[in-house]
Amino acid sequence: MNEEKLRFIDEYRNKELLLKLIKKIKREIDNPIKIMEVCGTHTISISKFGIRKLLKGKVDLTSGPGCPVCVTPNEDIDWIIELCRKFKEKICLTVFGDIMRVPGSNSSLFIEKAKGADIRVVYSPIEAIEIAKKRKDLKIVFFGIGFETTAPSIAISLIEAKKNKMENFYLYSAHKLIPPALDALLSLGEIKLNGFILPGHVSTIIGSNPYKPILKKHGLAGVITGFEPLDIIQALLILNELIKNKIYDVKIQYSRSVKPEGNEKAKKIMNNVFKECNSIWRGLGEIPNSGLELREEYNDMNAKLHFDINIPPKYENPACKCGEVLRGIIYPFECPLFAKACTPNSPIGPCMVSSEGACAAWYTYEDWRKYKEMIKNE
Ligand code: SF4
């Protein structure tokens, strides 16, 4: 990274300015507010930079369904594992690294790889295409997880595969869309929030407009923000103003990347390849129009249509509370397995596996023993 870029990041981590704004928030917030962030990168920043601790008593920050690995349900992981087992010699599965250790009902991709399945971690779907070009003897399947952030690049890889008339590349699409999930979460009525810190990367693609009707419907404020500590603090200040004035709308703090209308080119590419479908979310169940499925023109690359896979009914560890964590109704340390049976070295649920998971963030950065004590004494 060049010096200029480092200076640029330093500005967003300026300690004096940060402490000044923290003081300002503490002065300006009369009644404590409860805010949910719906992006794993925000979750990590909030914990890593000690923002939760600095604002204790004024802002209660809770994580929502914003970690792509965490919201991928057992049904999808089980399907992929069964694919690796049934077509062991014939396929090569390509995945993003975080999903490897997430347990499905009875195994994980990590275990299946150890047993001999050809599973390769890639950093982009284009890498998977490169493997498909070189290994014509294998069927290359890409396990596509993630939100609106990753869907456009995966759409590009499919367009590329079609252009090159590739006959050995397939996508299993488990992509999800953030706005319908927020609506579904709020409609459950389990959690009382004042507002959202909305995801910067997702919003770079979709813009701010899709959140407007949801915020209005549920009487909440939202701010799209960047990932540095000053971004988040500034977003909280804006949120507080919106909440105080009962403005149920979305504002963009992350204006260096997000426009109200989003990225038209990326949306067009995404819409050319994908269409909306119902989708199952861990912790939230099936949500209408919250997923992305391949359009009919891409049927020949749709792994769900090409491979005949049957999976037995799913099994969930009854003690794992990932669903409740993802709905923001418990803090990670309230799960009975947290820091006992479940740690980043031996994770039981995806929220501890993923580098963007709430349980991993709390375990790694937060003084969770103090919070636990505090809750016990309330
Ligand atoms: S501590 Fe582990 S088992 Fe409990 S909710 Fe978190 S990831 Fe799931």
Side-chain angles (χ1 to χ4, degrees):
M1 200 178 284
N2 63 35
E3 215 177 289
E4 202 176 313
K5 208 162 185 182
L6 272 177
R7 263 209 312 274
F8 184 63
I9 288 174
D10 279 349
E11 282 174 20
Y12 289 95
R13 297 183 181 178
N14 182 306
K15 199 174 161 193
E16 282 85 57
L17 190 53
L18 195 66
L19 293 174
K20 214 166 122 187
L21 288 183
I22 295 274
K23 268 193 193 155
K24 189 169 154 71
I25 289 195
K26 288 190 165 169
R27 261 197 327 267
E28 289 189 6
I29 297 183
D30 314 317
N31 300 315
I33 52 174
K34 190 171 176 84
I35 304 295
M36 175 178 273
E37 90 277 353
V38 275
C39 168
T41 317
H42 281 146
T43 301
I44 296 299
S45 287
I46 287 166
S47 290
K48 189 173 167 185
F49 294 108
I51 293 172
R52 193 187 319 275
K53 201 154 108 192
L54 288 167
L55 294 174
K56 210 155 80 181
K58 288 289 183 181
V59 186
D60 180 9
L61 288 159
T62 190
S63 306
C67 156
V69 169
C70 308
V71 297
T72 302
N74 273 14
E75 287 89 337
D76 288 322
I77 297 164
D78 291 349
W79 196 100
I80 285 292
I81 285 172
E82 192 49 34
L83 173 81
C84 292
R85 287 174 177 169
K86 191 170 171 184
F87 297 94
K88 199 168 181 173
E89 312 299 331
K90 299 189 176 78
I91 70 134
C92 162
L93 180 73
T94 51
V95 294
F96 292 137
D98 263 9
I99 202 78
M100 287 295 288
R101 291 200 305 152
V102 176
S105 296
N106 54 36
S107 184
S108 69
L109 292 174
F110 189 70
I111 293 170
E112 295 306 310
K113 187 174 168 70
K115 285 183 185 167
D118 187 353
I119 302 172
R120 304 185 199 180
V121 171
V122 293
Y123 293 97
S124 86
I126 291 294
E127 267 185 69
I129 294 277
E130 291 307 317
I131 297 171
K133 279 181 188 164
K134 284 185 200 136
R135 292 296 306 268
K136 298 243 166 54
D137 56 317
L138 286 175
K139 295 185 176 199
I140 312 299
V141 181
F142 183 70
F143 186 16
I145 61 161
F147 301 125
E148 293 91 333
T149 330
T150 46
S153 64
I154 289 167
I156 289 171
S157 67
L158 283 153
I159 292 168
E160 165 84 5
K162 208 170 186 53
K163 206 167 73 193
N164 286 298
K165 297 190 172 51
M166 292 173 68
E167 288 178 354
N168 64 335
F169 183 75
Y170 304 88
L171 173 76
Y172 181 94
S173 176
H175 286 98
K176 307 215 178 297
L177 304 170
I178 285 286
L182 298 187
D183 191 19
L185 175 88
L186 294 169
S187 299
L188 289 174
E190 290 178 319
I191 184 164
K192 183 92 194 74
L193 294 172
N194 298 101
F196 283 112
I197 289 178
L198 293 164
H201 296 322
V202 164
S203 308
T204 301
I205 306 297
I206 66 171
S208 58
N209 294 334
Y211 304 110
K212 283 179 182 271
I214 299 159
L215 295 176
K216 203 168 170 201
K217 177 177 163 189
H218 297 281
L220 289 178
V223 175
I224 297 166
T225 189
F227 304 95
E228 295 300 327
L230 277 173
D231 286 322
I232 295 170
I233 298 294
Q234 201 180 28
L236 290 171
L237 274 165
I238 303 170
L239 268 171
N240 186 46
E241 272 307 300
L242 294 174
I243 294 162
K244 259 200 214 165
N245 294 303
K246 295 192 171 43
I247 298 171
Y248 308 132
D249 200 1
V250 54
K251 296 280 175 225
I252 303 172
Q253 180 277 339
Y254 196 33
S255 54
R256 60 191 188 275
S257 179
V258 177
K259 288 188 269 180
E261 68 280 11
N263 182 328
E264 297 292 2
K265 201 171 164 191
K267 281 195 291 185
K268 198 170 165 208
I269 290 168
M270 196 163 81
N271 290 333
N272 281 342
V273 174
F274 293 108
K275 62 181 181 189
E276 287 178 7
C277 65
N278 296 352
S279 181
I280 301 172
W281 294 59
R282 187 183 296 273
L284 287 166
E286 184 164 322
I287 306 174
N289 300 323
S290 68
L292 289 176
E293 192 48 279
L294 283 172
R295 289 193 178 278
E296 285 73 22
E297 301 91 288
Y298 289 87
N299 273 355
D300 51 341
M301 293 185 200
N302 189 336
K304 290 177 193 172
L305 300 177
H306 186 79
F307 298 97
D308 182 22
I309 299 291
N310 287 308
I311 49 166
K314 67 168 178 175
Y315 167 80
E316 305 265 8
N317 184 328
C320 169
K321 301 288 178 211
C322 281
E324 284 93 324
V325 169
L326 290 165
R327 299 203 299 280
I329 55 174
I330 64 165
Y331 292 107
F333 59 77
E334 292 180 273
C335 169
L337 304 181
F338 183 84
K340 291 177 190 142
C342 187
T343 66
N345 282 336
S346 60
I348 305 275
C351 300
M352 191 64 94
V353 177
S354 170
S355 58
E356 296 192 342
C359 295
W362 272 85
Y363 185 92
T364 312
Y365 300 111
E366 299 281 358
D367 200 350
W368 50 269
R369 287 184 188 84
K370 268 199 189 146
Y371 280 86
K372 208 171 178 175
E373 207 48 43
M374 207 172 76
I375 282 195
K376 213 165 71 190
N377 297 330
E378 263 173 11

PDB file of all heavy atoms in Angstrom, residues 317 319-326 330-343 346-353 358-360, ligand 1:
ATOM      1  N   ASN A 317     -27.559 -28.480  15.816  1.00  0.00           N
ATOM      2  CA  ASN A 317     -27.208 -28.671  17.223  1.00  0.00           C
ATOM      3  C   ASN A 317     -28.157 -27.827  18.076  1.00  0.00           C
ATOM      4  O   ASN A 317     -28.180 -26.602  17.958  1.00  0.00           O
ATOM      5  CB  ASN A 317     -25.750 -28.210  17.425  1.00  0.00           C
ATOM      6  CG  ASN A 317     -25.258 -28.450  18.837  1.00  0.00           C
ATOM      7  OD1 ASN A 317     -26.044 -28.394  19.783  1.00  0.00           O
ATOM      8  ND2 ASN A 317     -23.984 -28.717  18.971  1.00  0.00           N
ATOM      9  N   ALA A 319     -28.169 -26.845  21.001  1.00  0.00           N
ATOM     10  CA  ALA A 319     -27.566 -25.877  21.941  1.00  0.00           C
ATOM     11  C   ALA A 319     -27.008 -24.646  21.222  1.00  0.00           C
ATOM     12  O   ALA A 319     -26.761 -23.613  21.850  1.00  0.00           O
ATOM     13  CB  ALA A 319     -26.450 -26.559  22.737  1.00  0.00           C
ATOM     14  N   CYS A 320     -26.813 -24.736  19.903  1.00  0.00           N
ATOM     15  CA  CYS A 320     -26.239 -23.598  19.152  1.00  0.00           C
ATOM     16  C   CYS A 320     -27.282 -22.502  18.976  1.00  0.00           C
ATOM     17  O   CYS A 320     -28.396 -22.763  18.523  1.00  0.00           O
ATOM     18  CB  CYS A 320     -25.736 -24.088  17.791  1.00  0.00           C
ATOM     19  SG  CYS A 320     -25.321 -22.729  16.680  1.00  0.00           S
ATOM     20  N   LYS A 321     -26.927 -21.313  19.328  1.00  0.00           N
ATOM     21  CA  LYS A 321     -27.884 -20.199  19.282  1.00  0.00           C
ATOM     22  C   LYS A 321     -27.584 -19.228  18.130  1.00  0.00           C
ATOM     23  O   LYS A 321     -27.927 -18.043  18.204  1.00  0.00           O
ATOM     24  CB  LYS A 321     -27.861 -19.424  20.611  1.00  0.00           C
ATOM     25  CG  LYS A 321     -28.199 -20.265  21.818  1.00  0.00           C
ATOM     26  CD  LYS A 321     -29.673 -20.616  21.849  1.00  0.00           C
ATOM     27  CE  LYS A 321     -29.997 -21.491  23.029  1.00  0.00           C
ATOM     28  NZ  LYS A 321     -31.084 -22.424  22.792  1.00  0.00           N
ATOM     29  N   CYS A 322     -26.942 -19.713  17.072  1.00  0.00           N
ATOM     30  CA  CYS A 322     -26.602 -18.815  15.955  1.00  0.00           C
ATOM     31  C   CYS A 322     -27.840 -18.093  15.406  1.00  0.00           C
ATOM     32  O   CYS A 322     -27.773 -16.920  15.055  1.00  0.00           O
ATOM     33  CB  CYS A 322     -25.929 -19.587  14.826  1.00  0.00           C
ATOM     34  SG  CYS A 322     -24.185 -19.926  15.136  1.00  0.00           S
ATOM     35  N   GLY A 323     -28.967 -18.793  15.337  1.00  0.00           N
ATOM     36  CA  GLY A 323     -30.195 -18.179  14.829  1.00  0.00           C
ATOM     37  C   GLY A 323     -30.585 -16.952  15.644  1.00  0.00           C
ATOM     38  O   GLY A 323     -30.910 -15.889  15.092  1.00  0.00           O
ATOM     39  N   GLU A 324     -30.526 -17.092  16.973  1.00  0.00           N
ATOM     40  CA  GLU A 324     -30.880 -15.975  17.866  1.00  0.00           C
ATOM     41  C   GLU A 324     -29.866 -14.842  17.759  1.00  0.00           C
ATOM     42  O   GLU A 324     -30.215 -13.668  17.796  1.00  0.00           O
ATOM     43  CB  GLU A 324     -30.962 -16.454  19.320  1.00  0.00           C
ATOM     44  CG  GLU A 324     -32.221 -17.232  19.624  1.00  0.00           C
ATOM     45  CD  GLU A 324     -32.043 -18.740  19.469  1.00  0.00           C
ATOM     46  OE1 GLU A 324     -31.285 -19.153  18.549  1.00  0.00           O
ATOM     47  OE2 GLU A 324     -32.651 -19.491  20.244  1.00  0.00           O
ATOM     48  N   VAL A 325     -28.587 -15.220  17.597  1.00  0.00           N
ATOM     49  CA  VAL A 325     -27.536 -14.199  17.441  1.00  0.00           C
ATOM     50  C   VAL A 325     -27.802 -13.406  16.155  1.00  0.00           C
ATOM     51  O   VAL A 325     -27.741 -12.178  16.141  1.00  0.00           O
ATOM     52  CB  VAL A 325     -26.128 -14.851  17.411  1.00  0.00           C
ATOM     53  CG1 VAL A 325     -25.061 -13.853  16.983  1.00  0.00           C
ATOM     54  CG2 VAL A 325     -25.782 -15.445  18.772  1.00  0.00           C
ATOM     55  N   LEU A 326     -28.141 -14.112  15.078  1.00  0.00           N
ATOM     56  CA  LEU A 326     -28.371 -13.447  13.786  1.00  0.00           C
ATOM     57  C   LEU A 326     -29.631 -12.580  13.782  1.00  0.00           C
ATOM     58  O   LEU A 326     -29.739 -11.657  12.991  1.00  0.00           O
ATOM     59  CB  LEU A 326     -28.468 -14.500  12.665  1.00  0.00           C
ATOM     60  CG  LEU A 326     -27.157 -15.210  12.334  1.00  0.00           C
ATOM     61  CD1 LEU A 326     -27.407 -16.460  11.505  1.00  0.00           C
ATOM     62  CD2 LEU A 326     -26.210 -14.267  11.594  1.00  0.00           C
ATOM     63  N   ILE A 330     -30.103 -12.212  21.129  1.00  0.00           N
ATOM     64  CA  ILE A 330     -29.153 -12.474  22.224  1.00  0.00           C
ATOM     65  C   ILE A 330     -27.766 -11.982  21.802  1.00  0.00           C
ATOM     66  O   ILE A 330     -27.464 -11.878  20.606  1.00  0.00           O
ATOM     67  CB  ILE A 330     -29.065 -13.981  22.643  1.00  0.00           C
ATOM     68  CG1 ILE A 330     -28.506 -14.850  21.487  1.00  0.00           C
ATOM     69  CG2 ILE A 330     -30.394 -14.517  23.149  1.00  0.00           C
ATOM     70  CD1 ILE A 330     -28.060 -16.234  21.946  1.00  0.00           C
ATOM     71  N   TYR A 331     -26.952 -11.673  22.799  1.00  0.00           N
ATOM     72  CA  TYR A 331     -25.540 -11.401  22.525  1.00  0.00           C
ATOM     73  C   TYR A 331     -24.847 -12.759  22.399  1.00  0.00           C
ATOM     74  O   TYR A 331     -25.271 -13.732  23.031  1.00  0.00           O
ATOM     75  CB  TYR A 331     -24.907 -10.639  23.688  1.00  0.00           C
ATOM     76  CG  TYR A 331     -25.416  -9.237  23.868  1.00  0.00           C
ATOM     77  CD1 TYR A 331     -26.260  -8.922  24.938  1.00  0.00           C
ATOM     78  CD2 TYR A 331     -25.041  -8.226  22.994  1.00  0.00           C
ATOM     79  CE1 TYR A 331     -26.728  -7.630  25.110  1.00  0.00           C
ATOM     80  CE2 TYR A 331     -25.505  -6.939  23.158  1.00  0.00           C
ATOM     81  CZ  TYR A 331     -26.352  -6.639  24.223  1.00  0.00           C
ATOM     82  OH  TYR A 331     -26.809  -5.371  24.384  1.00  0.00           O
ATOM     83  N   PRO A 332     -23.777 -12.837  21.625  1.00  0.00           N
ATOM     84  CA  PRO A 332     -23.105 -14.126  21.450  1.00  0.00           C
ATOM     85  C   PRO A 332     -22.766 -14.829  22.774  1.00  0.00           C
ATOM     86  O   PRO A 332     -22.922 -16.036  22.899  1.00  0.00           O
ATOM     87  CB  PRO A 332     -21.841 -13.755  20.681  1.00  0.00           C
ATOM     88  CG  PRO A 332     -22.268 -12.597  19.842  1.00  0.00           C
ATOM     89  CD  PRO A 332     -23.201 -11.808  20.735  1.00  0.00           C
ATOM     90  N   PHE A 333     -22.321 -14.054  23.782  1.00  0.00           N
ATOM     91  CA  PHE A 333     -21.893 -14.703  25.038  1.00  0.00           C
ATOM     92  C   PHE A 333     -23.065 -15.316  25.807  1.00  0.00           C
ATOM     93  O   PHE A 333     -22.875 -16.017  26.787  1.00  0.00           O
ATOM     94  CB  PHE A 333     -21.111 -13.730  25.927  1.00  0.00           C
ATOM     95  CG  PHE A 333     -21.888 -12.491  26.297  1.00  0.00           C
ATOM     96  CD1 PHE A 333     -22.876 -12.520  27.270  1.00  0.00           C
ATOM     97  CD2 PHE A 333     -21.605 -11.285  25.670  1.00  0.00           C
ATOM     98  CE1 PHE A 333     -23.583 -11.378  27.603  1.00  0.00           C
ATOM     99  CE2 PHE A 333     -22.319 -10.132  25.987  1.00  0.00           C
ATOM    100  CZ  PHE A 333     -23.314 -10.180  26.950  1.00  0.00           C
ATOM    101  N   GLU A 334     -24.302 -15.039  25.363  1.00  0.00           N
ATOM    102  CA  GLU A 334     -25.459 -15.653  26.013  1.00  0.00           C
ATOM    103  C   GLU A 334     -25.737 -17.067  25.505  1.00  0.00           C
ATOM    104  O   GLU A 334     -26.578 -17.775  26.060  1.00  0.00           O
ATOM    105  CB  GLU A 334     -26.699 -14.775  25.828  1.00  0.00           C
ATOM    106  CG  GLU A 334     -26.590 -13.460  26.581  1.00  0.00           C
ATOM    107  CD  GLU A 334     -27.818 -12.590  26.393  1.00  0.00           C
ATOM    108  OE1 GLU A 334     -27.841 -11.827  25.384  1.00  0.00           O
ATOM    109  OE2 GLU A 334     -28.737 -12.659  27.207  1.00  0.00           O
ATOM    110  N   CYS A 335     -25.044 -17.473  24.444  1.00  0.00           N
ATOM    111  CA  CYS A 335     -25.159 -18.859  23.982  1.00  0.00           C
ATOM    112  C   CYS A 335     -24.421 -19.740  24.996  1.00  0.00           C
ATOM    113  O   CYS A 335     -23.293 -19.434  25.375  1.00  0.00           O
ATOM    114  CB  CYS A 335     -24.526 -19.007  22.588  1.00  0.00           C
ATOM    115  SG  CYS A 335     -24.352 -20.734  22.101  1.00  0.00           S
ATOM    116  N   PRO A 336     -25.054 -20.844  25.437  1.00  0.00           N
ATOM    117  CA  PRO A 336     -24.398 -21.691  26.456  1.00  0.00           C
ATOM    118  C   PRO A 336     -23.079 -22.306  25.989  1.00  0.00           C
ATOM    119  O   PRO A 336     -22.266 -22.727  26.818  1.00  0.00           O
ATOM    120  CB  PRO A 336     -25.443 -22.769  26.747  1.00  0.00           C
ATOM    121  CG  PRO A 336     -26.418 -22.713  25.621  1.00  0.00           C
ATOM    122  CD  PRO A 336     -26.388 -21.316  25.089  1.00  0.00           C
ATOM    123  N   LEU A 337     -22.849 -22.338  24.685  1.00  0.00           N
ATOM    124  CA  LEU A 337     -21.615 -22.955  24.180  1.00  0.00           C
ATOM    125  C   LEU A 337     -20.472 -21.952  24.023  1.00  0.00           C
ATOM    126  O   LEU A 337     -19.314 -22.347  23.840  1.00  0.00           O
ATOM    127  CB  LEU A 337     -21.880 -23.614  22.821  1.00  0.00           C
ATOM    128  CG  LEU A 337     -23.011 -24.653  22.762  1.00  0.00           C
ATOM    129  CD1 LEU A 337     -23.117 -25.230  21.357  1.00  0.00           C
ATOM    130  CD2 LEU A 337     -22.769 -25.762  23.766  1.00  0.00           C
ATOM    131  N   PHE A 338     -20.786 -20.657  24.092  1.00  0.00           N
ATOM    132  CA  PHE A 338     -19.788 -19.606  23.819  1.00  0.00           C
ATOM    133  C   PHE A 338     -18.584 -19.719  24.762  1.00  0.00           C
ATOM    134  O   PHE A 338     -18.737 -19.766  25.988  1.00  0.00           O
ATOM    135  CB  PHE A 338     -20.445 -18.227  23.977  1.00  0.00           C
ATOM    136  CG  PHE A 338     -19.535 -17.071  23.653  1.00  0.00           C
ATOM    137  CD1 PHE A 338     -19.373 -16.641  22.339  1.00  0.00           C
ATOM    138  CD2 PHE A 338     -18.821 -16.424  24.660  1.00  0.00           C
ATOM    139  CE1 PHE A 338     -18.529 -15.572  22.038  1.00  0.00           C
ATOM    140  CE2 PHE A 338     -17.986 -15.351  24.365  1.00  0.00           C
ATOM    141  CZ  PHE A 338     -17.838 -14.929  23.054  1.00  0.00           C
ATOM    142  N   ALA A 339     -17.414 -19.775  24.161  1.00  0.00           N
ATOM    143  CA  ALA A 339     -16.130 -19.839  24.885  1.00  0.00           C
ATOM    144  C   ALA A 339     -15.976 -21.109  25.723  1.00  0.00           C
ATOM    145  O   ALA A 339     -15.023 -21.232  26.496  1.00  0.00           O
ATOM    146  CB  ALA A 339     -15.939 -18.609  25.766  1.00  0.00           C
ATOM    147  N   LYS A 340     -16.916 -22.028  25.582  1.00  0.00           N
ATOM    148  CA  LYS A 340     -16.770 -23.338  26.249  1.00  0.00           C
ATOM    149  C   LYS A 340     -16.536 -24.361  25.141  1.00  0.00           C
ATOM    150  O   LYS A 340     -15.419 -24.506  24.676  1.00  0.00           O
ATOM    151  CB  LYS A 340     -18.021 -23.648  27.078  1.00  0.00           C
ATOM    152  CG  LYS A 340     -18.155 -22.719  28.295  1.00  0.00           C
ATOM    153  CD  LYS A 340     -19.437 -23.009  29.039  1.00  0.00           C
ATOM    154  CE  LYS A 340     -19.670 -21.921  30.071  1.00  0.00           C
ATOM    155  NZ  LYS A 340     -21.068 -21.578  30.181  1.00  0.00           N
ATOM    156  N   ALA A 341     -17.648 -24.995  24.685  1.00  0.00           N
ATOM    157  CA  ALA A 341     -17.473 -25.944  23.572  1.00  0.00           C
ATOM    158  C   ALA A 341     -17.166 -25.225  22.272  1.00  0.00           C
ATOM    159  O   ALA A 341     -16.557 -25.792  21.356  1.00  0.00           O
ATOM    160  CB  ALA A 341     -18.738 -26.776  23.427  1.00  0.00           C
ATOM    161  N   CYS A 342     -17.585 -23.960  22.163  1.00  0.00           N
ATOM    162  CA  CYS A 342     -17.450 -23.235  20.886  1.00  0.00           C
ATOM    163  C   CYS A 342     -16.442 -22.085  20.987  1.00  0.00           C
ATOM    164  O   CYS A 342     -16.682 -21.104  21.707  1.00  0.00           O
ATOM    165  CB  CYS A 342     -18.834 -22.711  20.476  1.00  0.00           C
ATOM    166  SG  CYS A 342     -18.860 -21.971  18.837  1.00  0.00           S
ATOM    167  N   THR A 343     -15.343 -22.238  20.297  1.00  0.00           N
ATOM    168  CA  THR A 343     -14.304 -21.187  20.228  1.00  0.00           C
ATOM    169  C   THR A 343     -13.840 -21.098  18.773  1.00  0.00           C
ATOM    170  O   THR A 343     -14.128 -22.006  17.985  1.00  0.00           O
ATOM    171  CB  THR A 343     -13.081 -21.527  21.109  1.00  0.00           C
ATOM    172  OG1 THR A 343     -12.456 -22.691  20.548  1.00  0.00           O
ATOM    173  CG2 THR A 343     -13.456 -21.800  22.558  1.00  0.00           C
ATOM    174  N   SER A 346     -12.293 -24.355  17.741  1.00  0.00           N
ATOM    175  CA  SER A 346     -13.203 -25.495  17.545  1.00  0.00           C
ATOM    176  C   SER A 346     -14.636 -24.963  17.506  1.00  0.00           C
ATOM    177  O   SER A 346     -15.397 -25.096  18.460  1.00  0.00           O
ATOM    178  CB  SER A 346     -13.028 -26.540  18.648  1.00  0.00           C
ATOM    179  OG  SER A 346     -13.298 -25.963  19.900  1.00  0.00           O
ATOM    180  N   PRO A 347     -14.980 -24.332  16.380  1.00  0.00           N
ATOM    181  CA  PRO A 347     -16.307 -23.697  16.288  1.00  0.00           C
ATOM    182  C   PRO A 347     -17.437 -24.712  16.127  1.00  0.00           C
ATOM    183  O   PRO A 347     -17.280 -25.718  15.453  1.00  0.00           O
ATOM    184  CB  PRO A 347     -16.180 -22.832  15.031  1.00  0.00           C
ATOM    185  CG  PRO A 347     -15.109 -23.467  14.225  1.00  0.00           C
ATOM    186  CD  PRO A 347     -14.188 -24.181  15.156  1.00  0.00           C
ATOM    187  N   ILE A 348     -18.560 -24.394  16.764  1.00  0.00           N
ATOM    188  CA  ILE A 348     -19.741 -25.263  16.623  1.00  0.00           C
ATOM    189  C   ILE A 348     -20.692 -24.669  15.578  1.00  0.00           C
ATOM    190  O   ILE A 348     -21.326 -25.378  14.822  1.00  0.00           O
ATOM    191  CB  ILE A 348     -20.511 -25.378  17.968  1.00  0.00           C
ATOM    192  CG1 ILE A 348     -19.585 -25.853  19.095  1.00  0.00           C
ATOM    193  CG2 ILE A 348     -21.762 -26.246  17.838  1.00  0.00           C
ATOM    194  CD1 ILE A 348     -19.403 -27.330  19.224  1.00  0.00           C
ATOM    195  N   GLY A 349     -20.797 -23.354  15.565  1.00  0.00           N
ATOM    196  CA  GLY A 349     -21.730 -22.701  14.631  1.00  0.00           C
ATOM    197  C   GLY A 349     -21.008 -21.727  13.717  1.00  0.00           C
ATOM    198  O   GLY A 349     -19.883 -21.305  14.000  1.00  0.00           O
ATOM    199  N   PRO A 350     -21.667 -21.339  12.614  1.00  0.00           N
ATOM    200  CA  PRO A 350     -21.020 -20.458  11.636  1.00  0.00           C
ATOM    201  C   PRO A 350     -20.645 -19.089  12.197  1.00  0.00           C
ATOM    202  O   PRO A 350     -19.696 -18.469  11.715  1.00  0.00           O
ATOM    203  CB  PRO A 350     -22.071 -20.317  10.532  1.00  0.00           C
ATOM    204  CG  PRO A 350     -23.360 -20.687  11.163  1.00  0.00           C
ATOM    205  CD  PRO A 350     -23.040 -21.695  12.219  1.00  0.00           C
ATOM    206  N   CYS A 351     -21.377 -18.607  13.208  1.00  0.00           N
ATOM    207  CA  CYS A 351     -21.062 -17.267  13.742  1.00  0.00           C
ATOM    208  C   CYS A 351     -19.703 -17.245  14.445  1.00  0.00           C
ATOM    209  O   CYS A 351     -19.148 -16.179  14.695  1.00  0.00           O
ATOM    210  CB  CYS A 351     -22.149 -16.794  14.707  1.00  0.00           C
ATOM    211  SG  CYS A 351     -23.769 -16.675  13.944  1.00  0.00           S
ATOM    212  N   MET A 352     -19.190 -18.438  14.793  1.00  0.00           N
ATOM    213  CA  MET A 352     -17.843 -18.502  15.377  1.00  0.00           C
ATOM    214  C   MET A 352     -16.817 -18.875  14.306  1.00  0.00           C
ATOM    215  O   MET A 352     -15.631 -18.588  14.430  1.00  0.00           O
ATOM    216  CB  MET A 352     -17.821 -19.532  16.510  1.00  0.00           C
ATOM    217  CG  MET A 352     -16.582 -19.526  17.368  1.00  0.00           C
ATOM    218  SD  MET A 352     -16.347 -17.998  18.303  1.00  0.00           S
ATOM    219  CE  MET A 352     -17.105 -18.391  19.867  1.00  0.00           C
ATOM    220  N   VAL A 353     -17.275 -19.504  13.224  1.00  0.00           N
ATOM    221  CA  VAL A 353     -16.352 -19.913  12.151  1.00  0.00           C
ATOM    222  C   VAL A 353     -15.924 -18.707  11.319  1.00  0.00           C
ATOM    223  O   VAL A 353     -14.739 -18.496  11.056  1.00  0.00           O
ATOM    224  CB  VAL A 353     -17.026 -20.924  11.186  1.00  0.00           C
ATOM    225  CG1 VAL A 353     -16.071 -21.274  10.042  1.00  0.00           C
ATOM    226  CG2 VAL A 353     -17.467 -22.168  11.900  1.00  0.00           C
ATOM    227  N   ALA A 358     -20.466 -12.702  14.340  1.00  0.00           N
ATOM    228  CA  ALA A 358     -20.591 -11.938  15.591  1.00  0.00           C
ATOM    229  C   ALA A 358     -19.918 -12.670  16.756  1.00  0.00           C
ATOM    230  O   ALA A 358     -19.280 -12.037  17.603  1.00  0.00           O
ATOM    231  CB  ALA A 358     -22.063 -11.702  15.891  1.00  0.00           C
ATOM    232  N   CYS A 359     -20.069 -13.994  16.815  1.00  0.00           N
ATOM    233  CA  CYS A 359     -19.466 -14.732  17.936  1.00  0.00           C
ATOM    234  C   CYS A 359     -17.939 -14.636  17.888  1.00  0.00           C
ATOM    235  O   CYS A 359     -17.292 -14.432  18.921  1.00  0.00           O
ATOM    236  CB  CYS A 359     -19.912 -16.195  17.907  1.00  0.00           C
ATOM    237  SG  CYS A 359     -21.689 -16.365  18.188  1.00  0.00           S
ATOM    238  N   ALA A 360     -17.373 -14.771  16.691  1.00  0.00           N
ATOM    239  CA  ALA A 360     -15.907 -14.662  16.550  1.00  0.00           C
ATOM    240  C   ALA A 360     -15.447 -13.257  16.936  1.00  0.00           C
ATOM    241  O   ALA A 360     -14.414 -13.089  17.602  1.00  0.00           O
ATOM    242  CB  ALA A 360     -15.500 -14.988  15.115  1.00  0.00           C
TER     243      ALA A 360
HETATM  244  S1  SF4 B   1     -21.185 -19.508  20.420  1.00  0.00           S
HETATM  245 FE1  SF4 B   1     -21.012 -21.011  18.785  1.00  0.00          FE
HETATM  246  S2  SF4 B   1     -22.768 -22.316  18.987  1.00  0.00           S
HETATM  247 FE2  SF4 B   1     -23.188 -20.474  20.170  1.00  0.00          FE
HETATM  248  S3  SF4 B   1     -24.249 -19.103  18.782  1.00  0.00           S
HETATM  249 FE3  SF4 B   1     -22.097 -18.637  18.595  1.00  0.00          FE
HETATM  250  S4  SF4 B   1     -21.376 -19.925  16.911  1.00  0.00           S
HETATM  251 FE4  SF4 B   1     -23.390 -20.730  17.513  1.00  0.00          FE
END
